[in-house]
Amino acid sequence: ETKQAGVSKQAGELEPVDDVTMRRFLRAYQNDAVLASERLLKMLRWRASLSYGLGGTLVRDICSTTEGVQAQIDTGKCVILKGRDVVGRPVICVQVRLHDPQVQTPDELTRFGVHVLLTAESMLEEKPILDEPERKFCIIFDLQGVHLSNIDYNAAKRIIYMLTYFFPERMGVCLLVGAPLFFTAVWHVIKPWLDQKTQKKVVFVRVDKLGEHVDAKHRPQWLGGTCQDAVRGSAAGRE
């Protein structure tokens, strides 16, 4: 299979699929069994591929020691909280002001994104175990102090593509916190890249209202929280 849409030539065995995953893909594609099967196979081939400039590491094996990932972790721009949101979902926090689109290659940033998403996904198997339809993430984009130079449309496209095709039904809510006025124009660019179902999951929220989604005791101070030790492991924690 030639490289297409972020999937390179298959390099590993496809993983077995459990009933929970099959039901998740059916929910994602409105019980269209044919389409759900095609997308499930696409996801499995992606996980078993050598993509994003990796020489000998399968996508599903990307971790903190994968080339370029630790450098991204060290920036602190994306972390996973130890605590969960009010629904019980893992919380991924992105400090957009700490992102410089010029510092890393697109592949390096994508490897880091895969690492974070795989880590959050693995947390769904930890207690408390949520009901199947609620096994999703809460993703927070902290837009406080953001400048136009921090906005990375290419990164946004890749993240949306991964969430859509490789992690369907995993984003429960996306909170855009403290958005500056100019972000209205940015949102007008990004919004059409999302399907209508996903658009409804995106919520603009003030920092002082964030407690409606994540309790202050689980949030770091830069998100208006009270927790001194809010971040899980080495930012994303999957060794």
Side-chain angles (χ1 to χ4, degrees):
E1 183 175 339
T2 56
K3 186 172 182 180
Q4 185 177 17
V7 180
S8 61
K9 186 176 180 181
Q10 183 181 322
E13 294 296 323
L14 301 187
E15 301 158 286
V17 180
D18 58 25
D19 290 345
V20 173
T21 301
M22 287 191 285
R23 287 193 291 268
R24 176 163 61 90
F25 271 76
L26 282 170
R27 287 195 303 274
Y29 298 104
Q30 292 75 51
N31 291 316
D32 183 331
V34 174
L35 182 57
S37 297
E38 290 174 354
R39 295 293 167 79
L40 178 57
L41 182 58
K42 180 183 179 76
M43 182 273 288
L44 292 172
R45 286 174 172 166
W46 171 75
R47 287 176 60 89
S49 71
L50 296 167
S51 297
Y52 314 123
L54 295 173
T57 302
L58 302 183
V59 167
R60 65 181 180 233
D61 295 327
I62 290 175
C63 63
S64 61
T65 58
T66 301
E67 182 182 352
V69 171
Q70 189 59 52
Q72 296 297 302
I73 291 174
D74 291 343
T75 67
K77 64 186 172 186
C78 182
V79 300
I80 297 178
L81 302 187
K82 291 181 178 179
R84 300 198 177 197
D85 73 359
V86 294
V87 178
R89 299 173 295 207
V91 182
I92 300 170
C93 295
V94 181
Q95 295 188 79
V96 181
R97 67 182 177 277
L98 298 182
H99 177 60
D100 182 347
Q102 307 303 319
V103 168
Q104 63 285 301
T105 67
D107 279 349
E108 287 172 339
L109 188 61
T110 305
R111 289 175 218 152
F112 178 53
V114 171
H115 169 56
V116 172
L117 291 171
L118 289 177
T119 301
E121 192 168 58
S122 70
M123 291 175 65
L124 295 172
E125 304 304 318
E126 301 173 0
K127 293 183 179 180
I129 303 295
L130 298 168
D131 293 338
E132 274 188 41
E134 294 300 329
R135 292 177 193 173
K136 302 177 181 181
F137 318 137
C138 168
I139 303 179
I140 298 176
F141 284 91
D142 177 14
L143 298 169
Q144 299 174 95
V146 166
H147 299 284
L148 274 173
S149 60
N150 302 122
I151 304 300
D152 191 337
Y153 290 111
N154 289 328
K157 282 184 176 180
R158 285 203 173 196
I159 292 170
I160 291 168
Y161 188 89
M162 284 197 296
L163 286 170
T164 300
Y165 292 103
F166 306 139
F167 296 89
E169 286 293 294
R170 284 308 197 199
M171 188 178 80
V173 66
C174 178
L175 306 175
L176 304 181
V177 180
L181 287 175
F182 78 80
F183 193 79
T184 302
V186 176
W187 177 237
H188 281 309
V189 174
I190 295 174
K191 186 177 180 180
W193 301 341
L194 306 172
D195 59 46
Q196 290 189 349
K197 184 178 178 181
T198 304
Q199 288 178 16
K200 294 177 181 178
K201 297 179 180 179
V202 179
V203 181
F204 284 82
V205 60
R206 299 197 323 244
V207 176
D208 61 352
K209 296 294 184 181
L210 200 49
E212 298 174 6
H213 302 275
V214 183
D215 195 286
K217 67 182 179 183
H218 296 315
R219 282 182 278 133
Q221 292 180 335
W222 46 267
L223 276 178
T226 59
C227 187
Q228 299 290 328
D229 187 26
V231 176
R232 179 184 173 97
S234 58
R238 184 171 179 264
E239 302 299 333

